[in-house]
Amino acid sequence: MTDSSRPPVAVFDLDNTLADTAHRQRFLERKPRDWDGFFAAAPLDPPLAQGIALVLESAEECEVVYLTGRPERCRQDTLDWLAAQGLPEGRVHMRRDNDRRPARRTKLETLRRLARTREIRVLVDDDELVCEDAERAGFTVVRARWTAPSAALRTAQEREGRT
């Protein structure tokens, strides 16, 4: 049962929703993919103005929660990046370091867990498959379409369970 005494939750993805990963795509385009390089470059991600504005707007009525496919080992860099952007503090749900399931599975699992006790007002994510599955499960979704899609990142999210 949801707790109506607490504000609703707005859930935000990070990569290509709030953080522009274009400068680090090159690490995924080589064989083998350089995951350490890809994640090590994340602190240098420029913010995406449309996503940042949506977080700040949502924070006026909602508790902000961050839901990312980034592995747990990136937690401190992620928290530092969020703080540097002036974004609201909020719980950050990350993938376990050894979890290689597709993003659409891991994220939907977390959304359902959150929805057991809280109203989920919106999910904002750039991954079409995550968005489709969340909508099918009854969640309101805003598709973050303010960056160019990356085939390498899509493969990483869906086939390799890396982000």
Side-chain angles (χ1 to χ4, degrees):
M1 185 158 161
T2 59
D3 183 349
S4 59
S5 68
R6 296 173 68 192
V9 175
V11 181
F12 286 84
D13 172 48
L14 296 176
D15 292 338
N16 290 329
T17 298
L18 302 179
D20 187 349
T21 66
H23 72 101
R24 54 188 170 112
Q25 294 303 312
R26 68 185 188 277
F27 294 107
L28 301 183
E29 292 164 356
R30 57 179 74 147
K31 301 285 182 190
R33 298 185 201 285
D34 179 1
W35 290 105
D36 290 337
F38 180 76
F39 289 120
L44 303 175
D45 289 352
L48 291 165
Q50 289 160 291
I52 300 297
L54 196 51
V55 171
L56 297 175
E57 180 184 319
S58 296
E60 293 174 15
E61 292 183 11
C62 298
E63 178 183 327
V64 173
V65 170
Y66 303 98
L67 176 58
T68 180
R70 291 179 184 185
E72 186 64 42
R73 69 181 180 275
C74 299
R75 180 168 292 276
Q76 193 56 57
D77 283 345
T78 300
L79 294 173
D80 292 347
W81 187 90
L82 291 166
Q85 308 316 311
L87 291 171
E89 288 185 19
R91 287 174 292 162
V92 178
H93 296 271
M94 302 182 88
R95 179 190 298 272
R96 289 185 321 272
D97 285 336
N98 61 351
D99 187 344
R100 298 287 189 262
R101 294 174 297 153
R104 67 183 186 275
R105 288 190 49 212
T106 60
K107 288 185 175 184
L108 195 58
E109 191 176 277
T110 301
L111 282 172
R112 285 184 169 135
R113 190 171 56 249
L114 290 171
R116 284 187 211 131
T117 59
R118 300 293 296 280
E119 174 198 342
I120 307 295
R121 173 77 50 90
V122 66
L123 166 68
V124 183
D125 202 303
D126 69 305
D127 184 325
E128 283 296 324
L129 295 174
V130 168
C131 292
E132 289 169 11
D133 283 3
E135 284 177 332
R136 272 195 291 275
F139 295 100
T140 300
V141 172
V142 171
R143 284 170 166 77
R145 291 183 172 150
W146 36 84
T147 60
S150 161
L153 187 59
R154 186 176 324 109
T155 298
Q157 291 168 324
E158 294 310 315
R159 293 197 196 132
E160 298 176 26
R162 293 287 193 144
T163 183

